[in-house]
Amino acid sequence: MTLPPAVPSRYAGGVSRVRPRAPRREPTLAVVGATGAVGTVLCDLLSSRKNVWGEIRLLASARSVGRAVRCRGESLAVRALAPEEFDGVDVALFDVPDEVSAAWAPIAVQRGATVIDNSGAFRMDRDVPLVVPEINPEQARNRPKGIVANADCTTLAMIVAIAPLHREYGLRELVVSSYQAVSGVGQAGVDALRRQLGHICDDLSLGSQPGNVRRAIGEDLGPFPAPVALNVVPWAGVPGDGGWSSDEIQLRDETRKILGLPDLKVSATCVRVPVVTGHSVAVHAVFGAEVDAAAAQEILRGAPGMVVVDDPAAGEFPMPIDAVGTDPIWVGRIRRAVDDPRALAMFVTGDNLRKGAALNTVQVAELLASEVAAR
């Protein structure tokens, strides 16, 4: 018979007494918004990664209650979002609209859970850490409100590549342009693109004359301000001050918070493109020291969560059609600026539903699970 591990206790009568270690506690997890686009990926990741969880509860709105969702080889019934569902929960993952998170995350905390929130409701709250495990995992322990926030998917596509270069060279300024997939606004964005492609697929003249794409698509814009099929739309988010969009402002603010650089200069232009899944960002980064492209490439090759794809002569670039469905951030086109020896240009892409949302959430949750197990 194999005995469990034991630790020495006090000696009595010359005999070493031992007491068995307490069994490792497996924390209870709740997934709020389990039937959404990101929630579905969350369940897939929970099934494919090392299992550190005990009970898993899947919660959603009333219209999804009773739906069966596969998770860790089991068919779990979705339950209604209610305060008592958080009783006994150690960690709750939220992927719901901002207003739902704002209302329900404090309730989950009151019931004893630590919340990891994927909405924008708490990202810029000074008492809520914005955590990327490859960059600032220690911040996950600093949660006065019991909430940890997940960054926006565009920020996450870029910052995993920027952080190791910042540690080496000292980041001073960023000028970025994003190329954001339609799934960034949820299933409605994907559905709108597919419908629009249906409107235009049989007319080879579309896109060659002003207005003919608009006429073919008509009012079927979905969540976008203009047709996205055969087009790029230089807008993502809602209007902010000075002509900036909310996505552009949050990319700046989140980058500053994650890197701990409150005065970092960031100028962003966010663009929606006809890609289903995979956000990309063209980056011009200015550092405090002279940079070398080959050295930067090696730094990124050794950085966690990164894949370097950088052989333009062979047609090898980081592209969303290759990055989709994978966990890492892909980076390439790494080159020193022609006119500034302190500046690098590069192109990054990543699956906005995985590292841009679900994967980062799960990684943070695993940090918290280790805390619970160590108690």
Side-chain angles (χ1 to χ4, degrees):
M1 177 179 176
T2 302
L3 295 175
V7 294
S9 186
R10 295 183 178 179
Y11 287 83
V15 178
S16 175
R17 298 181 183 273
V18 296
R19 56 180 175 82
R21 288 191 180 118
R24 182 182 178 92
R25 186 167 85 82
E26 294 182 326
T28 296
L29 180 73
V31 180
V32 183
T35 57
V38 173
T40 301
V41 179
L42 278 170
C43 291
D44 289 343
L45 288 168
L46 291 170
S47 301
S48 61
R49 293 174 69 83
K50 180 181 178 181
N51 184 26
V52 298
W53 304 104
E55 179 189 357
I56 293 181
R57 304 176 191 176
L58 305 184
L59 310 178
S61 62
R63 66 178 178 273
S64 296
V65 171
R67 185 188 302 183
V69 174
R70 296 291 296 178
C71 187
R72 296 192 304 178
E74 298 180 78
S75 180
L76 301 180
V78 175
R79 296 147 71 161
L81 180 58
E84 60 271 17
E85 292 292 350
F86 296 106
D87 291 344
V89 169
D90 296 288
V91 180
L93 312 183
F94 274 63
D95 188 75
V96 290
D98 292 9
E99 62 275 12
V100 178
S101 281
W104 281 93
I107 293 173
V109 172
Q110 289 169 3
R111 295 276 178 157
T114 298
V115 169
I116 305 170
D117 182 50
N118 196 42
S119 80
F122 301 100
R123 286 173 184 155
M124 299 316 300
D125 188 321
R126 62 185 301 172
D127 291 325
V128 175
L130 192 57
V131 176
V132 182
E134 294 88 347
I135 301 171
N136 60 347
E138 72 286 348
Q139 289 299 316
R141 298 190 296 269
N142 177 28
R143 44 182 195 271
K145 291 187 175 180
I147 300 170
V148 178
N150 212 36
D152 178 70
C153 45
T154 309
T155 304
L156 283 166
M158 175 195 69
I159 204 160
V160 175
I162 285 294
L165 298 174
H166 165 57
R167 286 192 289 267
E168 182 70 19
Y169 299 116
L171 185 64
R172 295 292 183 268
E173 184 175 351
L174 283 172
V175 180
V176 299
S177 294
S178 73
Y179 305 82
Q180 297 175 215
V182 295
S183 58
V185 295
Q187 190 61 42
V190 177
D191 293 343
L193 174 59
R194 297 198 186 281
R195 289 196 308 270
Q196 290 178 18
L197 291 172
H199 292 316
I200 65 175
C201 64
D202 294 328
D203 189 344
L204 299 182
S205 70
L206 293 177
S208 60
Q209 297 292 329
N212 63 0
V213 172
R214 287 186 181 273
R215 287 191 294 271
I217 291 174
E219 298 300 316
D220 192 7
L221 301 180
F224 309 114
V228 69
L230 294 183
N231 195 27
V232 297
V233 182
W235 185 262
V238 298
D241 294 339
W244 297 94
S245 77
S246 57
D247 277 29
E248 292 159 351
I249 295 299
Q250 76 181 4
L251 194 154
R252 180 199 66 176
D253 293 345
E254 291 174 14
T255 299
R256 289 174 166 181
K257 184 173 181 177
I258 294 166
L259 296 179
L261 298 173
D263 298 319
L264 180 68
K265 296 179 180 179
V266 181
S267 180
T269 299
C270 290
V271 181
R272 192 72 64 182
V273 296
V275 170
V276 173
T277 301
H279 284 1
S280 304
V281 185
V283 180
H284 177 87
V286 181
F287 298 93
E290 186 170 333
V291 297
D292 177 80
Q297 190 177 90
E298 288 308 305
I299 290 168
L300 292 171
R301 286 189 191 280
M306 297 294 308
V307 170
V308 176
V309 183
D310 199 357
D311 190 355
E316 295 183 358
F317 321 101
M319 294 180 288
I321 59 169
D322 300 317
V324 64
T326 70
D327 289 344
I329 297 299
W330 296 42
V331 61
R333 298 299 321 281
I334 302 163
R335 57 214 189 272
R336 190 166 81 167
V338 174
D339 301 317
D340 188 346
R342 300 171 303 121
L344 278 175
M346 59 185 178
F347 192 82
V348 298
T349 191
D351 187 319
N352 53 291
L353 301 180
R354 294 182 79 86
K355 183 55 182 174
L359 176 60
N360 199 78
T361 303
V362 168
Q363 289 174 305
V364 176
E366 289 169 353
L367 294 176
L368 301 186
S370 65
E371 282 187 27
V372 174
R375 290 173 189 165

